[in-house]
């Protein structure tokens, strides 16, 4: 299951999985494009392993890398609590 984490001003959605048995968390980034498709990328925490990058420029990926690094502690915490919405009610 993927949980919402953040929506940026350009409608980019950042979601994350629950924490896996090995301690990893999948972070998925998706931005709608002008032709009805999506740009997307996946980052695995805590290793910061990026994969399946499609449609983003190097500058955009650099921005996302910084954003995920600055928020990784929150994403990892929320991944253990059923997402930010469940963490907020705990």
């Amino acid at each position: 299951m993927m949980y919402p984490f953040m929506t940026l001003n350009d409608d980019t959605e950042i979601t994350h999985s629950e924490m896996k048995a090995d301690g990893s968390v999948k972070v998925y980034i998706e931005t709608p494009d002008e032709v009805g498709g999506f740009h997307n990328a996946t980052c695995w925490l805590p290793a910061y392993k990026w994969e399946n990058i499609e449609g983003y420029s190097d500058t955009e990926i650099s921005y996302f890398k910084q954003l995920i690094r600055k928020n990784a502690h929150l994403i990892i915490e929320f991944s253990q609590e059923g997402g930010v919405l469940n963490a907020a009610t705990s």
Side-chain angles (χ1 to χ4, degrees), residues 43-62:
C43 176
W44 287 93
L45 297 176
Y48 297 98
K49 179 182 178 227
W50 288 83
E51 61 186 23
N52 303 324
I53 299 170
E54 296 181 26
Y56 290 121
S57 68
D58 290 343
T59 302
E60 290 168 319
I61 289 299
S62 178

Side-chain angles (χ1 to χ4, degrees), residues 30-46:
E30 180 178 83
T31 307
D33 66 19
E34 307 80 36
V35 295
F38 293 91
H39 298 179
N40 57 67
T42 300
C43 176
W44 287 93
L45 297 176

Side-chain angles (χ1 to χ4, degrees), residues 10-46:
D10 66 352
D11 292 327
T12 296
E13 295 282 341
I14 301 174
T15 60
H16 66 84
S17 69
E18 71 283 350
M19 184 174 282
K20 307 296 184 188
D22 67 358
S24 65
V25 178
K26 178 181 180 180
V27 179
Y28 182 73
I29 302 169
E30 180 178 83
T31 307
D33 66 19
E34 307 80 36
V35 295
F38 293 91
H39 298 179
N40 57 67
T42 300
C43 176
W44 287 93
L45 297 176

